[in-house]
Amino acid sequence: YLVALTQGTLSDPRSSPGDNNKGRQLAARLGLVPATGLVLGASYARGPYLDRAVAAVLEPGKKLEDFYQKVIGADAEYSIRRFKVMGEAAIIWWEVPTIAEDLKTDGFYLEGNYTLRSRLRAALRYSGLRFSQIDDGVGSQETWDYDVDRWEAGLSYPLYEGVLGKLAWQHTRLDQPGASGLKVLTLQITSSF
């Protein structure tokens, strides 16, 4: 398990000019291995998320630290021999200064991969985002962003120590009127050191 209480943002301090608010975040994850090859997890995070740049437009008496982002998540992984399946789901809420209700997003993914004898790995992944509805100001409910679905399929092969070659196909569908799906085929070489 992991529990952390931090000051400021959760971003990498090397890539950030510094703390963007004076709030504290709490992040925790609990993992359980009930059987060989099976890992279950649950996570929670809560903390202020607004940047100092919006402080000037807040209502009098309100502070950046009064508005929180909250995340509750669950994950699972099961592996047996050369096959592994994993998935995760999370619900995220944002308290927004200009909207009476919280914004909410549900996110998830499910992935399976199989390693062949030649060390070639095949993977298939489905993921999505679902956005809550909010009052549009004239008495009806509208989603605050468009839902997204994505399918990905790929092959990967270790070329050298720490170098991986990948071929991947991705199809993304945005639930926006008139939007067509985006299809992408990529060839990648990644290196770790």
Side-chain angles (χ1 to χ4, degrees), residues 1-105:
Y1 64 90
L2 168 70
V3 177
L5 179 64
T6 61
Q7 173 74 30
T9 67
L10 292 176
S11 63
D12 183 346
R14 295 168 295 180
S15 64
S16 174
D19 183 9
N20 71 359
N21 62 48
K22 297 203 182 292
R24 293 187 181 271
Q25 292 84 27
L26 171 67
R29 183 178 186 282
L30 179 62
L32 179 66
V33 182
T36 301
L38 178 63
V39 179
L40 303 174
S43 55
Y44 175 80
R46 180 179 188 264
Y49 71 98
L50 292 174
D51 191 276
R52 289 182 192 158
V54 300
V57 298
L58 294 178
E59 291 180 31
K62 293 288 187 178
K63 304 178 300 206
L64 295 172
E65 295 77 26
D66 294 335
F67 302 95
Y68 285 89
Q69 176 188 30
K70 295 172 274 192
V71 181
I72 295 175
D75 60 272
E77 176 181 311
Y78 181 71
S79 58
I80 184 168
R81 296 185 184 92
R82 295 186 187 115
F83 179 72
K84 181 181 350 183
V85 64
M86 63 194 107
E88 184 173 5
I91 303 171
I92 307 164
W93 295 268
W94 291 270
E95 295 174 349
V96 181
T98 57
I99 301 175
E101 58 209 290
D102 291 350
L103 297 180
K104 183 174 86 82
T105 301

Side-chain angles (χ1 to χ4, degrees), residues 124-143:
L124 180 65
R125 178 181 179 117
Y126 173 64
S127 59
L129 291 171
R130 302 292 180 261
F131 297 91
S132 65
Q133 294 193 338
I134 58 172
D135 188 332
D136 67 358
V138 292
S140 59
Q141 296 284 310
E142 295 289 334
T143 57

